[in-house]
Amino acid sequence: MNVQWIRQLNKRIFSGSYRSIRTKLLFCFLIVTLIPLLSLGALSYYQSAKIINSQFGKYGENAVAQLEQQTSSSLSRMKQMSETIYSYLLDPAHADLRNQAPVSYSEIIEKNDFEALLKSLRTDLTAGIYIITPSGYYYGENNLNVDKLKNIPEWKTKPASYKGIYWLGFYMQNHAMSSSGDSNLPVLGLAVPIHNSNGTQNGSTILIEENAQELLHMFKLFETDTKSHLTIKASDGRIVYESASTFTKKDSDITWIRTLAVNQWTIEARLPAKAFYLSSGIIRSNTIVVAIISCVLAFGLAYLFSSRFTARIRTLKDSMQKVSFGKLDTRMPIEGRDELGSLDMSFNRMVSGVQSLVQEVEQSERLKKEAELKAFHYQINPHLLFNTLNSIQWKARLEGADDIRQMLYHLTMVLEGNLDISQELITVGRELRMIEHFLKIQEIRYGNVFSYELNCEDSLKQYLIPRMTLQPLFENIFFHGFTDGIGVIKLDVTVIERNELLLILRDNGAGMTEEKRERLLVPDPKRRGRGGLGVQNADQKFKLHFGSQYGLTVHSTKGEGTAIVIHWPKEEERPDGYSKEN
């Protein structure tokens, strides 16, 4: 059964289903999710394990250093006591201290003084201070059984001919005279042989014992906290202290070693590598479990998301296929406000638009013939208008009305340029000639009451400008700026940077308010008449032909006049007589 299922899975994968969008999305989601997740998990484990191992290692080092400090403190204190006693005994003034019990008064006084010194050297941790003579007599507290002392293993291992400081190590203080007192107290012992050939204490031994309960308790706490095996060795290789638990040394053990400067004892703490890396192992196990759960969860979410995503795409594909078969009433249900929902809405609008366009095609075909007839009609009407104006002009000439004849002539020239719709872009020179005819009409109407100054080089007259853009601007000057046609008009055409033309039209007419100037170029479908409509149309022509960055700019001051600034790119007429656009 399992083999058959695997075969079906292989057949499905290699048959081409892996090329589906759902499979691609599934793998894409898994890759995008799992790679950062696994990388983050591995990095987190590495960093956490590194930090924990480092902190645990530092903790072990600090703990061993603390043991070293406490042990060195006890050893230094005992060594200092022994040096003080040794210096006291080497003084010739204390020659009355004998190897036997004192018999004379001076010997008793000397004994009491010496034992008073020993008592003054005691501390809270001092378990005993003795000077043991070769005869078995001792100075110090009256609780020492010399015979029991000699049976202590640490005392037996003391070399007889030892001349330096000998550290007995840790042992139980069971050498008291009776079972009462500090019997079986763990102590740290120090034995110092006295070598003074001229003194009475030659061959005696200074014995200092210090309570080791607190120090041994620290060793136990260290072993419990770090789970390590603690060993203290003397400089001669003798083991002074060792943990009670059995331990087998390995090369992989984590080792912390400290050497005491007082007596060259070596403190060695060993921790098995398995115990040292236990915390990081727990982190690794937890990381693997979380990674597996996250992978399963990511796979499930990716599968659900990709299935829902591709189901909506398949529905859209089926709807598009229906539309391709001519079912224009097909619509997609809107299931959400996401990108696919927007795509469904766009599809519905597209199908509705196509359906509307199909319905409008027939009407467009019907209107096409009507438009062609209207085009012929618009071609005939100007000819009829020009013929009529020419007839009136000849009639005025026969009647001797020369002013009327000239006005009709210039009007004909203006209308001829405006009604010629074959070109949307004409040369600047042609536009200026129509302006001259327009000004001739105004001169006949008002008389020589206004002046017109044109500054334009002949080389600039070959460039193109939208047809019938300057005439509305001149009309506004006479209808709104001048009173009875009186005023000064100045037109400048120059070249500015980036191969652009600059046209400035100035007048010294009535001007306008700032509020009116701001509304002048704002589109207003309710606007009627001449009040700025010609200026707005001229601005729109420049923007439509050359771009929204070009057009008109109006500067005006109430009572001082108006200046209209236009800039547009240089564009020459083609050799065949048509503009580049047409």
Side-chain angles (χ1 to χ4, degrees), residues 243-286:
S243 300
S245 60
T246 57
F247 185 81
T248 303
K249 294 183 180 181
K250 295 181 181 179
D251 295 337
S252 60
D253 294 341
I254 307 300
T255 306
W256 300 294
I257 300 177
R258 289 278 181 167
T259 301
L260 304 180
V262 178
N263 58 357
Q264 300 303 310
W265 280 3
T266 301
I267 300 178
E268 181 184 272
R270 282 184 171 271
L271 179 65
K274 182 178 180 181
F276 182 82
Y277 296 108
L278 179 62
S279 299
S280 58
I282 295 175
I283 296 176
R284 181 177 64 251
S285 301
N286 293 337

mmCIF file of all heavy atoms in Angstrom, residues 243-286:
data_model
loop_
_atom_site.group_PDB
_atom_site.id
_atom_site.type_symbol
_atom_site.label_atom_id
_atom_site.label_comp_id
_atom_site.label_asym_id
_atom_site.label_seq_id
_atom_site.Cartn_x
_atom_site.Cartn_y
_atom_site.Cartn_z
ATOM 1 N N SER A 243 37.128 14.753 46.163
ATOM 2 C CA SER A 243 35.686 14.541 46.288
ATOM 3 C C SER A 243 35.402 13.079 46.583
ATOM 4 O O SER A 243 36.117 12.167 46.123
ATOM 5 C CB SER A 243 34.974 14.966 45.003
ATOM 6 O OG SER A 243 35.198 16.336 44.743
ATOM 7 N N ALA A 244 34.321 12.842 47.341
ATOM 8 C CA ALA A 244 33.990 11.482 47.763
ATOM 9 C C ALA A 244 33.468 10.640 46.610
ATOM 10 O O ALA A 244 33.581 9.411 46.637
ATOM 11 C CB ALA A 244 32.966 11.533 48.895
ATOM 12 N N SER A 245 32.864 11.261 45.593
ATOM 13 C CA SER A 245 32.284 10.501 44.491
ATOM 14 C C SER A 245 33.379 9.898 43.617
ATOM 15 O O SER A 245 34.459 10.463 43.456
ATOM 16 C CB SER A 245 31.382 11.406 43.643
ATOM 17 O OG SER A 245 32.132 12.483 43.110
ATOM 18 N N THR A 246 33.043 8.735 43.067
ATOM 19 C CA THR A 246 33.987 8.084 42.154
ATOM 20 C C THR A 246 34.016 8.853 40.831
ATOM 21 O O THR A 246 32.985 9.330 40.337
ATOM 22 C CB THR A 246 33.560 6.636 41.892
ATOM 23 O OG1 THR A 246 32.225 6.611 41.373
ATOM 24 C CG2 THR A 246 33.630 5.828 43.176
ATOM 25 N N PHE A 247 35.188 8.943 40.257
ATOM 26 C CA PHE A 247 35.342 9.740 39.039
ATOM 27 C C PHE A 247 36.449 9.133 38.190
ATOM 28 O O PHE A 247 37.512 8.744 38.712
ATOM 29 C CB PHE A 247 35.681 11.185 39.389
ATOM 30 C CG PHE A 247 35.748 12.093 38.200
ATOM 31 C CD1 PHE A 247 34.586 12.624 37.654
ATOM 32 C CD2 PHE A 247 36.969 12.416 37.623
ATOM 33 C CE1 PHE A 247 34.649 13.458 36.550
ATOM 34 C CE2 PHE A 247 37.038 13.253 36.526
ATOM 35 C CZ PHE A 247 35.866 13.779 35.985
ATOM 36 N N THR A 248 36.183 9.028 36.880
ATOM 37 C CA THR A 248 37.171 8.537 35.927
ATOM 38 C C THR A 248 37.598 9.681 35.024
ATOM 39 O O THR A 248 36.761 10.274 34.323
ATOM 40 C CB THR A 248 36.594 7.392 35.079
ATOM 41 O OG1 THR A 248 36.141 6.340 35.946
ATOM 42 C CG2 THR A 248 37.656 6.842 34.137
ATOM 43 N N LYS A 249 38.854 9.993 35.044
ATOM 44 C CA LYS A 249 39.352 11.117 34.258
ATOM 45 C C LYS A 249 39.329 10.784 32.767
ATOM 46 O O LYS A 249 39.634 9.655 32.369
ATOM 47 C CB LYS A 249 40.772 11.480 34.684
ATOM 48 C CG LYS A 249 40.873 12.023 36.105
ATOM 49 C CD LYS A 249 42.300 12.413 36.407
ATOM 50 C CE LYS A 249 42.430 12.969 37.834
ATOM 51 N NZ LYS A 249 43.809 13.375 38.159
ATOM 52 N N LYS A 250 38.968 11.806 31.973
ATOM 53 C CA LYS A 250 38.981 11.688 30.520
ATOM 54 C C LYS A 250 39.620 12.942 29.923
ATOM 55 O O LYS A 250 39.603 14.011 30.534
ATOM 56 C CB LYS A 250 37.558 11.525 29.978
ATOM 57 C CG LYS A 250 36.868 10.237 30.410
ATOM 58 C CD LYS A 250 35.482 10.141 29.803
ATOM 59 C CE LYS A 250 34.777 8.862 30.249
ATOM 60 N NZ LYS A 250 33.403 8.780 29.670
ATOM 61 N N ASP A 251 40.158 12.752 28.721
ATOM 62 C CA ASP A 251 40.787 13.902 28.057
ATOM 63 C C ASP A 251 39.777 14.973 27.668
ATOM 64 O O ASP A 251 40.128 16.140 27.501
ATOM 65 C CB ASP A 251 41.531 13.427 26.797
ATOM 66 C CG ASP A 251 42.695 12.511 27.143
ATOM 67 O OD1 ASP A 251 43.178 12.607 28.289
ATOM 68 O OD2 ASP A 251 43.090 11.704 26.277
ATOM 69 N N SER A 252 38.528 14.584 27.516
ATOM 70 C CA SER A 252 37.493 15.541 27.110
ATOM 71 C C SER A 252 36.935 16.334 28.279
ATOM 72 O O SER A 252 36.064 17.197 28.086
ATOM 73 C CB SER A 252 36.356 14.812 26.405
ATOM 74 O OG SER A 252 35.769 13.838 27.268
ATOM 75 N N ASP A 253 37.372 16.041 29.503
ATOM 76 C CA ASP A 253 36.842 16.746 30.668
ATOM 77 C C ASP A 253 37.187 18.233 30.614
ATOM 78 O O ASP A 253 38.249 18.630 30.115
ATOM 79 C CB ASP A 253 37.427 16.148 31.952
ATOM 80 C CG ASP A 253 36.956 14.716 32.184
ATOM 81 O OD1 ASP A 253 35.943 14.330 31.578
ATOM 82 O OD2 ASP A 253 37.632 13.999 32.949
ATOM 83 N N ILE A 254 36.257 19.041 31.123
ATOM 84 C CA ILE A 254 36.501 20.475 31.290
ATOM 85 C C ILE A 254 37.225 20.655 32.616
ATOM 86 O O ILE A 254 36.724 20.224 33.667
ATOM 87 C CB ILE A 254 35.193 21.274 31.267
ATOM 88 C CG1 ILE A 254 34.386 20.935 30.011
ATOM 89 C CG2 ILE A 254 35.474 22.762 31.331
ATOM 90 C CD1 ILE A 254 35.112 21.235 28.713
ATOM 91 N N THR A 255 38.402 21.270 32.586
ATOM 92 C CA THR A 255 39.260 21.342 33.768
ATOM 93 C C THR A 255 39.520 22.792 34.145
ATOM 94 O O THR A 255 39.830 23.624 33.274
ATOM 95 C CB THR A 255 40.592 20.629 33.507
ATOM 96 O OG1 THR A 255 40.325 19.298 33.061
ATOM 97 C CG2 THR A 255 41.429 20.577 34.760
ATOM 98 N N TRP A 256 39.378 23.082 35.440
ATOM 99 C CA TRP A 256 39.762 24.377 36.000
ATOM 100 C C TRP A 256 40.863 24.123 37.026
ATOM 101 O O TRP A 256 40.677 23.334 37.973
ATOM 102 C CB TRP A 256 38.580 25.077 36.671
ATOM 103 C CG TRP A 256 37.438 25.336 35.719
ATOM 104 C CD1 TRP A 256 37.428 26.158 34.658
ATOM 105 C CD2 TRP A 256 36.122 24.754 35.791
ATOM 106 N NE1 TRP A 256 36.213 26.149 34.026
ATOM 107 C CE2 TRP A 256 35.381 25.286 34.702
ATOM 108 C CE3 TRP A 256 35.503 23.843 36.633
ATOM 109 C CZ2 TRP A 256 34.070 24.948 34.458
ATOM 110 C CZ3 TRP A 256 34.190 23.496 36.397
ATOM 111 C CH2 TRP A 256 33.485 24.035 35.326
ATOM 112 N N ILE A 257 41.987 24.753 36.880
ATOM 113 C CA ILE A 257 43.148 24.510 37.743
ATOM 114 C C ILE A 257 43.628 25.834 38.324
ATOM 115 O O ILE A 257 43.743 26.838 37.596
ATOM 116 C CB ILE A 257 44.290 23.824 36.970
ATOM 117 C CG1 ILE A 257 43.828 22.468 36.411
ATOM 118 C CG2 ILE A 257 45.518 23.639 37.864
ATOM 119 C CD1 ILE A 257 44.870 21.768 35.573
ATOM 120 N N ARG A 258 43.916 25.811 39.616
ATOM 121 C CA ARG A 258 44.489 26.969 40.315
ATOM 122 C C ARG A 258 45.611 26.482 41.231
ATOM 123 O O ARG A 258 45.504 25.401 41.840
ATOM 124 C CB ARG A 258 43.431 27.690 41.159
ATOM 125 C CG ARG A 258 42.395 28.440 40.349
ATOM 126 C CD ARG A 258 42.921 29.783 39.940
ATOM 127 N NE ARG A 258 41.925 30.530 39.177
ATOM 128 C CZ ARG A 258 42.019 31.815 38.898
ATOM 129 N NH1 ARG A 258 43.058 32.496 39.352
ATOM 130 N NH2 ARG A 258 41.106 32.425 38.197
ATOM 131 N N THR A 259 46.688 27.250 41.333
ATOM 132 C CA THR A 259 47.825 26.919 42.202
ATOM 133 C C THR A 259 47.912 27.955 43.310
ATOM 134 O O THR A 259 47.928 29.164 43.043
ATOM 135 C CB THR A 259 49.128 26.887 41.402
ATOM 136 O OG1 THR A 259 49.011 25.913 40.354
ATOM 137 C CG2 THR A 259 50.300 26.521 42.299
ATOM 138 N N LEU A 260 47.979 27.463 44.565
ATOM 139 C CA LEU A 260 48.054 28.361 45.709
ATOM 140 C C LEU A 260 49.475 28.882 45.858
ATOM 141 O O LEU A 260 50.448 28.097 45.864
ATOM 142 C CB LEU A 260 47.629 27.632 46.986
ATOM 143 C CG LEU A 260 46.230 26.993 46.964
ATOM 144 C CD1 LEU A 260 45.949 26.313 48.308
ATOM 145 C CD2 LEU A 260 45.169 28.029 46.660
ATOM 146 N N ALA A 261 49.601 30.177 45.981
ATOM 147 C CA ALA A 261 50.928 30.779 46.100
ATOM 148 C C ALA A 261 51.551 30.524 47.470
ATOM 149 O O ALA A 261 52.783 30.585 47.621
ATOM 150 C CB ALA A 261 50.846 32.290 45.843
ATOM 151 N N VAL A 262 50.759 30.206 48.480
ATOM 152 C CA VAL A 262 51.281 30.051 49.847
ATOM 153 C C VAL A 262 52.122 28.795 49.963
ATOM 154 O O VAL A 262 53.242 28.806 50.503
ATOM 155 C CB VAL A 262 50.123 30.047 50.860
ATOM 156 C CG1 VAL A 262 50.654 29.840 52.281
ATOM 157 C CG2 VAL A 262 49.344 31.353 50.764
ATOM 158 N N ASN A 263 51.592 27.681 49.461
ATOM 159 C CA ASN A 263 52.292 26.406 49.633
ATOM 160 C C ASN A 263 52.333 25.561 48.362
ATOM 161 O O ASN A 263 52.621 24.372 48.427
ATOM 162 C CB ASN A 263 51.643 25.601 50.762
ATOM 163 C CG ASN A 263 50.165 25.354 50.466
ATOM 164 O OD1 ASN A 263 49.632 25.823 49.475
ATOM 165 N ND2 ASN A 263 49.523 24.594 51.340
ATOM 166 N N GLN A 264 51.986 26.166 47.205
ATOM 167 C CA GLN A 264 52.044 25.485 45.914
ATOM 168 C C GLN A 264 51.084 24.303 45.818
ATOM 169 O O GLN A 264 51.314 23.362 45.063
ATOM 170 C CB GLN A 264 53.476 25.029 45.609
ATOM 171 C CG GLN A 264 54.498 26.142 45.547
ATOM 172 C CD GLN A 264 54.132 27.199 44.514
ATOM 173 O OE1 GLN A 264 53.835 26.873 43.365
ATOM 174 N NE2 GLN A 264 54.136 28.462 44.937
ATOM 175 N N TRP A 265 50.017 24.304 46.648
ATOM 176 C CA TRP A 265 48.978 23.310 46.445
ATOM 177 C C TRP A 265 48.268 23.591 45.124
ATOM 178 O O TRP A 265 48.124 24.745 44.702
ATOM 179 C CB TRP A 265 47.956 23.364 47.585
ATOM 180 C CG TRP A 265 48.424 22.649 48.823
ATOM 181 C CD1 TRP A 265 49.628 22.051 49.031
ATOM 182 C CD2 TRP A 265 47.670 22.477 50.012
ATOM 183 N NE1 TRP A 265 49.701 21.509 50.281
ATOM 184 C CE2 TRP A 265 48.494 21.747 50.920
ATOM 185 C CE3 TRP A 265 46.404 22.848 50.426
ATOM 186 C CZ2 TRP A 265 48.083 21.400 52.186
ATOM 187 C CZ3 TRP A 265 45.971 22.502 51.691
ATOM 188 C CH2 TRP A 265 46.813 21.783 52.563
ATOM 189 N N THR A 266 47.769 22.561 44.474
ATOM 190 C CA THR A 266 47.063 22.682 43.193
ATOM 191 C C THR A 266 45.610 22.279 43.385
ATOM 192 O O THR A 266 45.311 21.152 43.827
ATOM 193 C CB THR A 266 47.707 21.795 42.117
ATOM 194 O OG1 THR A 266 49.067 22.182 41.941
ATOM 195 C CG2 THR A 266 46.969 21.957 40.796
ATOM 196 N N ILE A 267 44.703 23.211 43.068
ATOM 197 C CA ILE A 267 43.266 22.934 43.108
ATOM 198 C C ILE A 267 42.827 22.597 41.688
ATOM 199 O O ILE A 267 42.942 23.421 40.784
ATOM 200 C CB ILE A 267 42.478 24.129 43.651
ATOM 201 C CG1 ILE A 267 42.932 24.471 45.078
ATOM 202 C CG2 ILE A 267 40.983 23.830 43.633
ATOM 203 C CD1 ILE A 267 42.224 25.681 45.659
ATOM 204 N N GLU A 268 42.331 21.401 41.507
ATOM 205 C CA GLU A 268 41.903 20.941 40.182
ATOM 206 C C GLU A 268 40.445 20.512 40.243
ATOM 207 O O GLU A 268 40.073 19.650 41.049
ATOM 208 C CB GLU A 268 42.776 19.777 39.711
ATOM 209 C CG GLU A 268 42.384 19.268 38.323
ATOM 210 C CD GLU A 268 43.193 18.058 37.913
ATOM 211 O OE1 GLU A 268 44.286 18.230 37.340
ATOM 212 O OE2 GLU A 268 42.737 16.916 38.202
ATOM 213 N N ALA A 269 39.606 21.146 39.399
ATOM 214 C CA ALA A 269 38.188 20.786 39.311
ATOM 215 C C ALA A 269 37.931 20.234 37.914
ATOM 216 O O ALA A 269 38.221 20.886 36.908
ATOM 217 C CB ALA A 269 37.298 21.999 39.578
ATOM 218 N N ARG A 270 37.400 19.027 37.853
ATOM 219 C CA ARG A 270 37.125 18.369 36.567
ATOM 220 C C ARG A 270 35.622 18.150 36.406
ATOM 221 O O ARG A 270 34.957 17.684 37.335
ATOM 222 C CB ARG A 270 37.849 17.027 36.482
ATOM 223 C CG ARG A 270 39.326 17.149 36.166
ATOM 224 C CD ARG A 270 39.968 15.788 36.008
ATOM 225 N NE ARG A 270 41.322 15.901 35.496
ATOM 226 C CZ ARG A 270 41.641 15.924 34.205
ATOM 227 N NH1 ARG A 270 40.686 15.820 33.302
ATOM 228 N NH2 ARG A 270 42.908 16.026 33.819
ATOM 229 N N LEU A 271 35.142 18.508 35.225
ATOM 230 C CA LEU A 271 33.718 18.330 34.913
ATOM 231 C C LEU A 271 33.611 17.569 33.603
ATOM 232 O O LEU A 271 34.226 17.963 32.602
ATOM 233 C CB LEU A 271 33.017 19.693 34.784
ATOM 234 C CG LEU A 271 31.533 19.664 34.431
ATOM 235 C CD1 LEU A 271 30.743 19.019 35.569
ATOM 236 C CD2 LEU A 271 31.020 21.069 34.163
ATOM 237 N N PRO A 272 32.862 16.466 33.565
ATOM 238 C CA PRO A 272 32.702 15.725 32.304
ATOM 239 C C PRO A 272 32.090 16.615 31.227
ATOM 240 O O PRO A 272 31.241 17.467 31.496
ATOM 241 C CB PRO A 272 31.767 14.568 32.690
ATOM 242 C CG PRO A 272 31.936 14.413 34.162
ATOM 243 C CD PRO A 272 32.198 15.782 34.691
ATOM 244 N N ALA A 273 32.562 16.407 29.994
ATOM 245 C CA ALA A 273 32.070 17.222 28.875
ATOM 246 C C ALA A 273 30.560 17.080 28.712
ATOM 247 O O ALA A 273 29.871 18.041 28.357
ATOM 248 C CB ALA A 273 32.794 16.827 27.592
ATOM 249 N N LYS A 274 30.033 15.893 28.965
ATOM 250 C CA LYS A 274 28.588 15.688 28.831
ATOM 251 C C LYS A 274 27.815 16.566 29.795
ATOM 252 O O LYS A 274 26.790 17.162 29.443
ATOM 253 C CB LYS A 274 28.278 14.214 29.063
ATOM 254 C CG LYS A 274 26.807 13.879 28.887
ATOM 255 C CD LYS A 274 26.566 12.387 29.084
ATOM 256 C CE LYS A 274 25.092 12.047 28.900
ATOM 257 N NZ LYS A 274 24.842 10.589 29.117
ATOM 258 N N ALA A 275 28.303 16.685 31.033
ATOM 259 C CA ALA A 275 27.635 17.531 32.021
ATOM 260 C C ALA A 275 27.827 19.011 31.692
ATOM 261 O O ALA A 275 26.928 19.832 31.921
ATOM 262 C CB ALA A 275 28.180 17.229 33.423
ATOM 263 N N PHE A 276 29.004 19.353 31.162
ATOM 264 C CA PHE A 276 29.264 20.765 30.832
ATOM 265 C C PHE A 276 28.331 21.256 29.720
ATOM 266 O O PHE A 276 27.831 22.380 29.766
ATOM 267 C CB PHE A 276 30.722 20.928 30.409
ATOM 268 C CG PHE A 276 31.113 22.343 30.104
ATOM 269 C CD1 PHE A 276 31.452 23.227 31.117
ATOM 270 C CD2 PHE A 276 31.136 22.805 28.794
ATOM 271 C CE1 PHE A 276 31.817 24.536 30.834
ATOM 272 C CE2 PHE A 276 31.499 24.107 28.505
ATOM 273 C CZ PHE A 276 31.839 24.970 29.530
ATOM 274 N N TYR A 277 28.108 20.408 28.703
ATOM 275 C CA TYR A 277 27.273 20.800 27.559
ATOM 276 C C TYR A 277 25.832 20.352 27.725
ATOM 277 O O TYR A 277 25.084 20.304 26.738
ATOM 278 C CB TYR A 277 27.837 20.212 26.263
ATOM 279 C CG TYR A 277 29.207 20.749 25.909
ATOM 280 C CD1 TYR A 277 30.331 19.957 26.031
ATOM 281 C CD2 TYR A 277 29.367 22.056 25.475
ATOM 282 C CE1 TYR A 277 31.590 20.442 25.706
ATOM 283 C CE2 TYR A 277 30.624 22.559 25.157
ATOM 284 C CZ TYR A 277 31.729 21.740 25.279
ATOM 285 O OH TYR A 277 32.967 22.226 24.967
ATOM 286 N N LEU A 278 25.426 20.022 28.953
ATOM 287 C CA LEU A 278 24.055 19.573 29.173
ATOM 288 C C LEU A 278 23.045 20.668 28.851
ATOM 289 O O LEU A 278 22.033 20.418 28.184
ATOM 290 C CB LEU A 278 23.905 19.116 30.632
ATOM 291 C CG LEU A 278 22.506 18.626 31.030
ATOM 292 C CD1 LEU A 278 22.113 17.412 30.207
ATOM 293 C CD2 LEU A 278 22.459 18.308 32.527
ATOM 294 N N SER A 279 23.310 21.896 29.302
ATOM 295 C CA SER A 279 22.363 23.006 29.058
ATOM 296 C C SER A 279 22.230 23.295 27.573
ATOM 297 O O SER A 279 21.124 23.474 27.038
ATOM 298 C CB SER A 279 22.838 24.254 29.808
ATOM 299 O OG SER A 279 22.887 24.019 31.195
ATOM 300 N N SER A 280 23.376 23.336 26.870
ATOM 301 C CA SER A 280 23.311 23.592 25.420
ATOM 302 C C SER A 280 22.634 22.433 24.707
ATOM 303 O O SER A 280 21.956 22.627 23.688
ATOM 304 C CB SER A 280 24.722 23.814 24.867
ATOM 305 O OG SER A 280 25.551 22.686 25.126
ATOM 306 N N GLY A 281 22.776 21.200 25.233
ATOM 307 C CA GLY A 281 22.072 20.066 24.631
ATOM 308 C C GLY A 281 20.573 20.189 24.779
ATOM 309 O O GLY A 281 19.811 19.840 23.870
ATOM 310 N N ILE A 282 20.133 20.686 25.938
ATOM 311 C CA ILE A 282 18.695 20.904 26.129
ATOM 312 C C ILE A 282 18.183 21.958 25.163
ATOM 313 O O ILE A 282 17.100 21.814 24.562
ATOM 314 C CB ILE A 282 18.420 21.305 27.591
ATOM 315 C CG1 ILE A 282 18.774 20.146 28.539
ATOM 316 C CG2 ILE A 282 16.966 21.724 27.775
ATOM 317 C CD1 ILE A 282 18.653 20.500 30.006
ATOM 318 N N ILE A 283 18.961 23.028 24.995
ATOM 319 C CA ILE A 283 18.563 24.072 24.041
ATOM 320 C C ILE A 283 18.492 23.502 22.629
ATOM 321 O O ILE A 283 17.571 23.809 21.853
ATOM 322 C CB ILE A 283 19.552 25.251 24.109
ATOM 323 C CG1 ILE A 283 19.489 25.918 25.483
ATOM 324 C CG2 ILE A 283 19.273 26.267 23.012
ATOM 325 C CD1 ILE A 283 20.490 27.026 25.675
ATOM 326 N N ARG A 284 19.471 22.667 22.269
ATOM 327 C CA ARG A 284 19.463 22.065 20.934
ATOM 328 C C ARG A 284 18.227 21.196 20.738
ATOM 329 O O ARG A 284 17.568 21.248 19.686
ATOM 330 C CB ARG A 284 20.734 21.241 20.736
ATOM 331 C CG ARG A 284 20.820 20.586 19.354
ATOM 332 C CD ARG A 284 22.120 19.839 19.149
ATOM 333 N NE ARG A 284 22.254 18.708 20.073
ATOM 334 C CZ ARG A 284 23.093 18.683 21.085
ATOM 335 N NH1 ARG A 284 23.886 19.713 21.318
ATOM 336 N NH2 ARG A 284 23.163 17.627 21.894
ATOM 337 N N SER A 285 17.898 20.396 21.738
ATOM 338 C CA SER A 285 16.712 19.529 21.616
ATOM 339 C C SER A 285 15.439 20.351 21.477
ATOM 340 O O SER A 285 14.586 20.071 20.618
ATOM 341 C CB SER A 285 16.622 18.617 22.837
ATOM 342 O OG SER A 285 17.781 17.825 22.968
ATOM 343 N N ASN A 286 15.316 21.398 22.300
ATOM 344 C CA ASN A 286 14.133 22.257 22.208
ATOM 345 C C ASN A 286 14.071 22.967 20.865
ATOM 346 O O ASN A 286 12.985 23.129 20.279
ATOM 347 C CB ASN A 286 14.139 23.284 23.345
ATOM 348 C CG ASN A 286 13.952 22.635 24.706
ATOM 349 O OD1 ASN A 286 13.409 21.536 24.805
ATOM 350 N ND2 ASN A 286 14.402 23.311 25.750
#
